[in-house]
Amino acid sequence: MQHERCPCGDCREGEDLGEGDEHAKTLDLPGRVVKARAEIFDVLSLPAVGCDGEHSVLSHNEGGHPNRRFPVNYDLIVMKLAVEQARLGLEEGGVPIGAALIVNGEVLGVGRNRRVQQGSVIRHGETDCLENVGRLPASSYRRATLYTTLSPCPMCAGTILLYGIPRVVIGENRTFEASEALLRSHGVELEVLDLPECIDLMAQFIDRSPEIWNEDIGVEDPTGPTPATAALETR
């Protein structure tokens, strides 16, 4: 049996998920992660629908061509991996933003905002995910979809543009939005799911740790208004 490479950020040597998911015992809250992975593969086994199907989303086939479509719930299911990472981050005391990178339907890796946990200045959810995946050829990035629970900041948007990632699926953009116009102007396809669970995770965190959130988005005064708190007040 050929095993899938584990997409978690902690397995630096590319450990496998074998029969019975024995390796899962070494992962953070593994049962939910493994269940989400299984649901993803179940969706990938479904037949593609017509190119003009109302309930479908564009994906890439085995050859990397954007002419196959999967059911719309594909994005919702893959986003579960990013949401799981966000929940882990919240439990660790970090900013609850998670991400996952998919290439040709394969989960290459996941990540979460670890600025607090690692004392990092650049470990946002998207950048942590890409770092966990490791170096890839440009052709892989150009067939990728990046899933993130929160709309990308300018730093993460720059990373998306640098590597030419053509599609980004966003859990929500009510809490924060600073780069979507930039991404669209460069031809990046954006899909905003507007998921209540993503909004609620951020609301919990901002209420508990507003100073850390303001630091995360580069705001000096933790008591002053921010794009995030302004959005929360109007929703």
Short mmCIF file of all heavy atoms in Angstrom, two decimals, residues 34-90:
data_model
loop_
_atom_site.label_atom_id
_atom_site.label_comp_id
_atom_site.label_asym_id
_atom_site.label_seq_id
_atom_site.Cartn_x
_atom_site.Cartn_y
_atom_site.Cartn_z
N VAL A 34 -7.24 13.80 10.60
CA VAL A 34 -7.31 12.62 9.74
C VAL A 34 -8.71 12.48 9.14
O VAL A 34 -8.86 12.15 7.97
CB VAL A 34 -6.94 11.36 10.54
CG1 VAL A 34 -7.22 10.10 9.73
CG2 VAL A 34 -5.47 11.41 10.93
N LYS A 35 -9.76 12.75 9.91
CA LYS A 35 -11.12 12.68 9.40
C LYS A 35 -11.30 13.68 8.27
O LYS A 35 -11.90 13.36 7.23
CB LYS A 35 -12.12 12.97 10.51
CG LYS A 35 -13.57 12.89 10.04
CD LYS A 35 -14.54 13.18 11.18
CE LYS A 35 -15.98 13.14 10.68
NZ LYS A 35 -16.94 13.47 11.75
N ALA A 36 -10.78 14.88 8.44
CA ALA A 36 -10.90 15.89 7.38
C ALA A 36 -10.17 15.43 6.13
O ALA A 36 -10.66 15.59 5.02
CB ALA A 36 -10.35 17.23 7.87
N ARG A 37 -8.98 14.84 6.30
CA ARG A 37 -8.23 14.33 5.14
C ARG A 37 -9.03 13.26 4.43
O ARG A 37 -9.10 13.22 3.20
CB ARG A 37 -6.88 13.77 5.58
CG ARG A 37 -5.83 14.82 5.86
CD ARG A 37 -4.62 14.22 6.51
NE ARG A 37 -4.11 13.07 5.78
CZ ARG A 37 -3.34 13.13 4.71
NH1 ARG A 37 -3.01 14.30 4.21
NH2 ARG A 37 -2.90 12.03 4.13
N ALA A 38 -9.66 12.36 5.18
CA ALA A 38 -10.43 11.29 4.56
C ALA A 38 -11.59 11.85 3.77
O ALA A 38 -11.91 11.39 2.67
CB ALA A 38 -10.94 10.34 5.65
N GLU A 39 -12.25 12.89 4.31
CA GLU A 39 -13.36 13.50 3.60
C GLU A 39 -12.89 14.15 2.30
O GLU A 39 -13.58 14.12 1.29
CB GLU A 39 -14.05 14.52 4.50
CG GLU A 39 -14.82 13.87 5.64
CD GLU A 39 -15.40 14.88 6.60
OE1 GLU A 39 -14.99 16.06 6.51
OE2 GLU A 39 -16.23 14.52 7.43
N ILE A 40 -11.70 14.74 2.34
CA ILE A 40 -11.14 15.35 1.13
C ILE A 40 -10.97 14.30 0.04
O ILE A 40 -11.37 14.47 -1.10
CB ILE A 40 -9.80 16.02 1.43
CG1 ILE A 40 -10.03 17.26 2.28
CG2 ILE A 40 -9.08 16.40 0.14
CD1 ILE A 40 -8.76 17.83 2.85
N PHE A 41 -10.37 13.15 0.40
CA PHE A 41 -10.14 12.12 -0.60
C PHE A 41 -11.45 11.53 -1.10
O PHE A 41 -11.56 11.13 -2.26
CB PHE A 41 -9.23 11.04 -0.02
CG PHE A 41 -7.87 11.56 0.35
CD1 PHE A 41 -7.28 11.24 1.55
CD2 PHE A 41 -7.18 12.40 -0.51
CE1 PHE A 41 -6.04 11.73 1.91
CE2 PHE A 41 -5.94 12.91 -0.17
CZ PHE A 41 -5.37 12.57 1.04
N ASP A 42 -12.49 11.47 -0.23
CA ASP A 42 -13.79 11.01 -0.68
C ASP A 42 -14.35 11.94 -1.75
O ASP A 42 -14.91 11.49 -2.76
CB ASP A 42 -14.78 10.96 0.49
CG ASP A 42 -14.51 9.79 1.41
OD1 ASP A 42 -13.77 8.88 0.99
OD2 ASP A 42 -15.01 9.79 2.55
N VAL A 43 -14.20 13.24 -1.56
CA VAL A 43 -14.69 14.20 -2.53
C VAL A 43 -13.92 14.09 -3.84
O VAL A 43 -14.48 14.14 -4.93
CB VAL A 43 -14.60 15.64 -1.97
CG1 VAL A 43 -14.84 16.66 -3.07
CG2 VAL A 43 -15.61 15.83 -0.87
N LEU A 44 -12.60 13.88 -3.75
CA LEU A 44 -11.80 13.77 -4.96
C LEU A 44 -12.18 12.55 -5.79
O LEU A 44 -11.91 12.50 -6.98
CB LEU A 44 -10.31 13.72 -4.60
CG LEU A 44 -9.73 15.03 -4.08
CD1 LEU A 44 -8.30 14.81 -3.61
CD2 LEU A 44 -9.76 16.10 -5.15
N SER A 45 -12.79 11.57 -5.16
CA SER A 45 -13.19 10.37 -5.89
C SER A 45 -14.52 10.54 -6.61
O SER A 45 -14.90 9.69 -7.41
CB SER A 45 -13.29 9.18 -4.92
OG SER A 45 -14.38 9.34 -4.04
N LEU A 46 -15.22 11.65 -6.34
CA LEU A 46 -16.49 11.88 -7.01
C LEU A 46 -16.26 12.26 -8.47
O LEU A 46 -15.25 12.86 -8.81
CB LEU A 46 -17.26 13.01 -6.31
CG LEU A 46 -17.71 12.73 -4.87
CD1 LEU A 46 -18.30 14.01 -4.28
CD2 LEU A 46 -18.73 11.61 -4.83
N PRO A 47 -17.20 11.92 -9.35
CA PRO A 47 -17.04 12.32 -10.75
C PRO A 47 -17.14 13.83 -10.91
O PRO A 47 -17.87 14.50 -10.19
CB PRO A 47 -18.21 11.61 -11.45
CG PRO A 47 -19.23 11.43 -10.37
CD PRO A 47 -18.45 11.18 -9.11
N ALA A 48 -16.36 14.35 -11.84
CA ALA A 48 -16.43 15.78 -12.12
C ALA A 48 -17.76 16.11 -12.78
O ALA A 48 -18.35 15.27 -13.47
CB ALA A 48 -15.27 16.18 -13.04
N VAL A 49 -18.23 17.32 -12.58
CA VAL A 49 -19.48 17.74 -13.19
C VAL A 49 -19.19 18.59 -14.40
O VAL A 49 -18.05 18.93 -14.68
CB VAL A 49 -20.35 18.52 -12.18
CG1 VAL A 49 -20.69 17.65 -10.99
CG2 VAL A 49 -19.66 19.78 -11.72
N GLY A 50 -20.22 18.97 -15.12
CA GLY A 50 -20.06 19.73 -16.34
C GLY A 50 -19.36 21.06 -16.12
O GLY A 50 -19.46 21.65 -15.05
N CYS A 51 -18.64 21.54 -17.11
CA CYS A 51 -17.86 22.76 -16.97
C CYS A 51 -18.73 23.97 -16.70
O CYS A 51 -18.24 24.98 -16.20
CB CYS A 51 -17.02 22.99 -18.22
SG CYS A 51 -15.63 21.85 -18.37
N ASP A 52 -20.01 23.89 -17.03
CA ASP A 52 -20.90 25.01 -16.76
C ASP A 52 -21.85 24.70 -15.61
O ASP A 52 -22.86 25.37 -15.44
CB ASP A 52 -21.72 25.35 -18.01
CG ASP A 52 -20.83 25.85 -19.14
OD1 ASP A 52 -19.86 26.55 -18.84
OD2 ASP A 52 -21.12 25.50 -20.30
N GLY A 53 -21.51 23.68 -14.82
CA GLY A 53 -22.37 23.29 -13.72
C GLY A 53 -22.54 24.41 -12.71
O GLY A 53 -21.57 25.06 -12.34
N GLU A 54 -23.75 24.62 -12.27
CA GLU A 54 -24.02 25.72 -11.36
C GLU A 54 -23.38 25.49 -9.99
O GLU A 54 -22.94 26.41 -9.33
CB GLU A 54 -25.53 25.87 -11.19
CG GLU A 54 -25.92 27.02 -10.26
CD GLU A 54 -27.42 27.15 -10.16
OE1 GLU A 54 -28.13 26.44 -10.88
OE2 GLU A 54 -27.87 27.97 -9.33
N HIS A 55 -23.33 24.23 -9.56
CA HIS A 55 -22.82 23.90 -8.24
C HIS A 55 -21.43 23.29 -8.35
O HIS A 55 -21.18 22.19 -7.89
CB HIS A 55 -23.77 22.96 -7.52
CG HIS A 55 -25.16 23.50 -7.41
ND1 HIS A 55 -25.46 24.60 -6.65
CD2 HIS A 55 -26.32 23.12 -7.99
CE1 HIS A 55 -26.75 24.87 -6.74
NE2 HIS A 55 -27.29 24.00 -7.55
N SER A 56 -20.51 23.99 -8.95
CA SER A 56 -19.17 23.44 -9.12
C SER A 56 -18.14 24.55 -8.98
O SER A 56 -18.45 25.73 -9.05
CB SER A 56 -19.03 22.78 -10.49
OG SER A 56 -19.21 23.74 -11.51
N VAL A 57 -16.90 24.13 -8.74
CA VAL A 57 -15.79 25.08 -8.66
C VAL A 57 -14.68 24.58 -9.55
O VAL A 57 -14.50 23.38 -9.75
CB VAL A 57 -15.28 25.24 -7.21
CG1 VAL A 57 -16.32 25.88 -6.33
CG2 VAL A 57 -14.85 23.90 -6.64
N LEU A 58 -13.89 25.51 -10.06
CA LEU A 58 -12.79 25.15 -10.96
C LEU A 58 -11.65 24.55 -10.17
O LEU A 58 -11.26 25.02 -9.13
CB LEU A 58 -12.30 26.41 -11.69
CG LEU A 58 -11.20 26.22 -12.73
CD1 LEU A 58 -11.72 25.34 -13.86
CD2 LEU A 58 -10.76 27.56 -13.27
N SER A 59 -11.10 23.46 -10.68
CA SER A 59 -9.92 22.87 -10.08
C SER A 59 -8.99 22.49 -11.22
O SER A 59 -9.20 22.86 -12.36
CB SER A 59 -10.29 21.66 -9.22
OG SER A 59 -9.16 21.18 -8.54
N HIS A 60 -7.94 21.73 -10.91
CA HIS A 60 -6.99 21.32 -11.93
C HIS A 60 -6.96 19.80 -12.01
O HIS A 60 -6.99 19.12 -10.99
CB HIS A 60 -5.59 21.84 -11.59
CG HIS A 60 -5.50 23.33 -11.63
ND1 HIS A 60 -5.90 24.12 -10.58
CD2 HIS A 60 -5.06 24.16 -12.59
CE1 HIS A 60 -5.70 25.38 -10.87
NE2 HIS A 60 -5.19 25.44 -12.08
N ASN A 61 -6.86 19.30 -13.24
CA ASN A 61 -6.81 17.85 -13.38
C ASN A 61 -5.38 17.36 -13.22
O ASN A 61 -4.48 18.11 -12.87
CB ASN A 61 -7.40 17.42 -14.73
CG ASN A 61 -6.59 17.95 -15.91
OD1 ASN A 61 -5.47 18.40 -15.76
ND2 ASN A 61 -7.19 17.89 -17.09
N GLU A 62 -5.16 16.08 -13.47
CA GLU A 62 -3.85 15.49 -13.23
C GLU A 62 -2.75 16.19 -14.03
O GLU A 62 -1.61 16.26 -13.60
CB GLU A 62 -3.88 13.99 -13.57
CG GLU A 62 -4.71 13.17 -12.61
CD GLU A 62 -4.16 13.20 -11.20
OE1 GLU A 62 -2.93 13.30 -11.05
OE2 GLU A 62 -4.95 13.11 -10.25
N GLY A 63 -3.08 16.69 -15.18
CA GLY A 63 -2.08 17.36 -15.99
C GLY A 63 -1.91 18.82 -15.65
O GLY A 63 -1.13 19.53 -16.28
N GLY A 64 -2.64 19.30 -14.67
CA GLY A 64 -2.49 20.69 -14.26
C GLY A 64 -3.34 21.65 -15.08
O GLY A 64 -3.16 22.86 -14.99
N HIS A 65 -4.26 21.13 -15.89
CA HIS A 65 -5.06 22.00 -16.73
C HIS A 65 -6.36 22.38 -16.01
O HIS A 65 -7.03 21.52 -15.45
CB HIS A 65 -5.40 21.30 -18.05
CG HIS A 65 -4.19 20.85 -18.79
ND1 HIS A 65 -3.28 21.73 -19.31
CD2 HIS A 65 -3.73 19.61 -19.07
CE1 HIS A 65 -2.31 21.06 -19.91
NE2 HIS A 65 -2.55 19.77 -19.77
N PRO A 66 -6.72 23.66 -16.03
CA PRO A 66 -7.93 24.10 -15.29
C PRO A 66 -9.21 23.81 -16.05
O PRO A 66 -9.94 24.70 -16.43
CB PRO A 66 -7.69 25.61 -15.16
CG PRO A 66 -6.89 25.95 -16.37
CD PRO A 66 -6.00 24.77 -16.63
N ASN A 67 -9.48 22.52 -16.29
CA ASN A 67 -10.68 22.19 -17.04
C ASN A 67 -11.49 21.09 -16.38
O ASN A 67 -12.38 20.52 -16.99
CB ASN A 67 -10.33 21.77 -18.48
CG ASN A 67 -9.42 20.55 -18.51
OD1 ASN A 67 -9.13 19.96 -17.48
ND2 ASN A 67 -8.97 20.20 -19.70
N ARG A 68 -11.19 20.79 -15.13
CA ARG A 68 -12.01 19.83 -14.40
C ARG A 68 -12.64 20.56 -13.23
O ARG A 68 -12.02 21.41 -12.62
CB ARG A 68 -11.17 18.67 -13.88
CG ARG A 68 -12.02 17.70 -13.06
CD ARG A 68 -11.29 16.46 -12.63
NE ARG A 68 -12.22 15.57 -11.92
CZ ARG A 68 -11.90 14.40 -11.43
NH1 ARG A 68 -10.69 13.96 -11.58
NH2 ARG A 68 -12.79 13.68 -10.79
N ARG A 69 -13.88 20.19 -12.92
CA ARG A 69 -14.57 20.85 -11.81
C ARG A 69 -15.03 19.81 -10.80
O ARG A 69 -15.49 18.74 -11.17
CB ARG A 69 -15.76 21.67 -12.33
CG ARG A 69 -15.34 22.88 -13.12
CD ARG A 69 -16.52 23.55 -13.80
NE ARG A 69 -16.07 24.70 -14.56
CZ ARG A 69 -16.09 25.94 -14.13
NH1 ARG A 69 -16.51 26.20 -12.92
NH2 ARG A 69 -15.68 26.94 -14.87
N PHE A 70 -14.89 20.16 -9.53
CA PHE A 70 -15.36 19.32 -8.45
C PHE A 70 -16.59 19.96 -7.83
O PHE A 70 -16.81 21.15 -7.98
CB PHE A 70 -14.27 19.15 -7.38
CG PHE A 70 -13.07 18.38 -7.86
CD1 PHE A 70 -11.87 19.02 -8.13
CD2 PHE A 70 -13.15 17.00 -8.02
CE1 PHE A 70 -10.78 18.31 -8.57
CE2 PHE A 70 -12.05 16.29 -8.46
CZ PHE A 70 -10.86 16.94 -8.73
N PRO A 71 -17.39 19.20 -7.09
CA PRO A 71 -18.56 19.79 -6.42
C PRO A 71 -18.16 20.95 -5.52
O PRO A 71 -17.05 20.99 -4.98
CB PRO A 71 -19.10 18.62 -5.60
CG PRO A 71 -18.60 17.39 -6.30
CD PRO A 71 -17.26 17.77 -6.86
N VAL A 72 -19.05 21.90 -5.34
CA VAL A 72 -18.73 23.11 -4.59
C VAL A 72 -18.32 22.80 -3.16
O VAL A 72 -17.56 23.54 -2.56
CB VAL A 72 -19.92 24.09 -4.63
CG1 VAL A 72 -21.08 23.56 -3.81
CG2 VAL A 72 -19.50 25.47 -4.16
N ASN A 73 -18.79 21.68 -2.58
CA ASN A 73 -18.43 21.39 -1.21
C ASN A 73 -16.96 20.96 -1.07
O ASN A 73 -16.47 20.76 0.03
CB ASN A 73 -19.35 20.34 -0.60
CG ASN A 73 -19.22 18.97 -1.24
OD1 ASN A 73 -18.60 18.82 -2.28
ND2 ASN A 73 -19.81 17.97 -0.62
N TYR A 74 -16.27 20.78 -2.17
CA TYR A 74 -14.83 20.49 -2.13
C TYR A 74 -14.10 21.57 -1.35
O TYR A 74 -13.29 21.29 -0.46
CB TYR A 74 -14.29 20.38 -3.55
CG TYR A 74 -12.79 20.19 -3.63
CD1 TYR A 74 -12.23 18.93 -3.44
CD2 TYR A 74 -11.95 21.27 -3.91
CE1 TYR A 74 -10.85 18.76 -3.52
CE2 TYR A 74 -10.58 21.09 -3.98
CZ TYR A 74 -10.04 19.84 -3.79
OH TYR A 74 -8.68 19.68 -3.85
N ASP A 75 -14.37 22.84 -1.68
CA ASP A 75 -13.71 23.94 -0.97
C ASP A 75 -14.06 23.94 0.51
O ASP A 75 -13.20 24.20 1.37
CB ASP A 75 -14.09 25.29 -1.59
CG ASP A 75 -13.34 25.57 -2.87
OD1 ASP A 75 -12.29 24.94 -3.11
OD2 ASP A 75 -13.79 26.44 -3.65
N LEU A 76 -15.31 23.67 0.83
CA LEU A 76 -15.73 23.66 2.23
C LEU A 76 -15.03 22.55 2.99
O LEU A 76 -14.64 22.73 4.15
CB LEU A 76 -17.25 23.48 2.32
CG LEU A 76 -18.09 24.61 1.75
CD1 LEU A 76 -19.57 24.23 1.78
CD2 LEU A 76 -17.86 25.90 2.53
N ILE A 77 -14.84 21.40 2.36
CA ILE A 77 -14.21 20.28 3.03
C ILE A 77 -12.72 20.52 3.22
O ILE A 77 -12.16 20.29 4.29
CB ILE A 77 -14.48 18.97 2.26
CG1 ILE A 77 -15.96 18.62 2.36
CG2 ILE A 77 -13.63 17.84 2.80
CD1 ILE A 77 -16.38 17.45 1.52
N VAL A 78 -12.05 21.01 2.18
CA VAL A 78 -10.63 21.29 2.31
C VAL A 78 -10.39 22.38 3.35
O VAL A 78 -9.44 22.33 4.12
CB VAL A 78 -10.02 21.70 0.96
CG1 VAL A 78 -8.56 22.09 1.12
CG2 VAL A 78 -10.14 20.56 -0.04
N MET A 79 -11.32 23.35 3.42
CA MET A 79 -11.17 24.42 4.40
C MET A 79 -11.18 23.89 5.83
O MET A 79 -10.65 24.53 6.75
CB MET A 79 -12.27 25.47 4.20
CG MET A 79 -12.17 26.69 5.11
SD MET A 79 -10.65 27.66 4.91
CE MET A 79 -10.98 28.47 3.33
N LYS A 80 -11.75 22.69 6.03
CA LYS A 80 -11.75 22.11 7.37
C LYS A 80 -10.34 21.94 7.90
O LYS A 80 -10.11 22.04 9.11
CB LYS A 80 -12.48 20.75 7.37
CG LYS A 80 -13.98 20.84 7.21
CD LYS A 80 -14.60 19.46 7.32
CE LYS A 80 -16.11 19.52 7.21
NZ LYS A 80 -16.73 18.19 7.39
N LEU A 81 -9.39 21.62 7.02
CA LEU A 81 -8.01 21.49 7.46
C LEU A 81 -7.47 22.81 7.98
O LEU A 81 -6.78 22.86 9.00
CB LEU A 81 -7.14 21.00 6.30
CG LEU A 81 -7.31 19.54 5.89
CD1 LEU A 81 -6.49 19.27 4.64
CD2 LEU A 81 -6.91 18.61 7.00
N ALA A 82 -7.77 23.89 7.28
CA ALA A 82 -7.31 25.21 7.71
C ALA A 82 -8.00 25.63 9.01
O ALA A 82 -7.36 26.20 9.91
CB ALA A 82 -7.58 26.24 6.61
N VAL A 83 -9.30 25.36 9.12
CA VAL A 83 -10.03 25.69 10.35
C VAL A 83 -9.47 24.91 11.52
O VAL A 83 -9.32 25.43 12.63
CB VAL A 83 -11.54 25.43 10.17
CG1 VAL A 83 -12.27 25.58 11.51
CG2 VAL A 83 -12.13 26.38 9.14
N GLU A 84 -9.14 23.64 11.29
CA GLU A 84 -8.55 22.82 12.35
C GLU A 84 -7.25 23.44 12.84
O GLU A 84 -6.96 23.50 14.04
CB GLU A 84 -8.30 21.41 11.84
CG GLU A 84 -7.72 20.48 12.88
CD GLU A 84 -8.64 20.28 14.07
OE1 GLU A 84 -9.87 20.28 13.88
OE2 GLU A 84 -8.13 20.15 15.19
N GLN A 85 -6.45 23.92 11.91
CA GLN A 85 -5.20 24.58 12.30
C GLN A 85 -5.47 25.85 13.09
O GLN A 85 -4.77 26.16 14.06
CB GLN A 85 -4.38 24.89 11.05
CG GLN A 85 -3.76 23.67 10.39
CD GLN A 85 -2.68 23.04 11.25
OE1 GLN A 85 -1.73 23.70 11.64
NE2 GLN A 85 -2.84 21.75 11.54
N ALA A 86 -6.48 26.60 12.68
CA ALA A 86 -6.84 27.82 13.41
C ALA A 86 -7.25 27.49 14.84
O ALA A 86 -6.87 28.19 15.80
CB ALA A 86 -7.96 28.56 12.69
N ARG A 87 -8.02 26.42 15.02
CA ARG A 87 -8.44 26.02 16.36
C ARG A 87 -7.24 25.61 17.22
O ARG A 87 -7.16 25.92 18.41
CB ARG A 87 -9.46 24.87 16.28
CG ARG A 87 -10.78 25.28 15.67
CD ARG A 87 -11.83 24.18 15.84
NE ARG A 87 -13.05 24.51 15.14
CZ ARG A 87 -13.97 25.35 15.57
NH1 ARG A 87 -13.79 25.97 16.74
NH2 ARG A 87 -15.07 25.59 14.87
N LEU A 88 -6.31 24.90 16.61
CA LEU A 88 -5.10 24.53 17.32
C LEU A 88 -4.35 25.78 17.78
O LEU A 88 -3.85 25.85 18.90
CB LEU A 88 -4.19 23.68 16.42
CG LEU A 88 -4.61 22.24 16.18
CD1 LEU A 88 -3.71 21.61 15.12
CD2 LEU A 88 -4.54 21.43 17.46
N GLY A 89 -4.26 26.75 16.87
CA GLY A 89 -3.57 27.99 17.21
C GLY A 89 -4.22 28.71 18.38
O GLY A 89 -3.53 29.23 19.27
N LEU A 90 -5.55 28.74 18.40
CA LEU A 90 -6.25 29.39 19.50
C LEU A 90 -5.98 28.67 20.82
O LEU A 90 -5.74 29.30 21.85
CB LEU A 90 -7.75 29.41 19.21
CG LEU A 90 -8.63 30.16 20.22
CD1 LEU A 90 -8.29 31.64 20.23
CD2 LEU A 90 -10.11 29.95 19.91
#
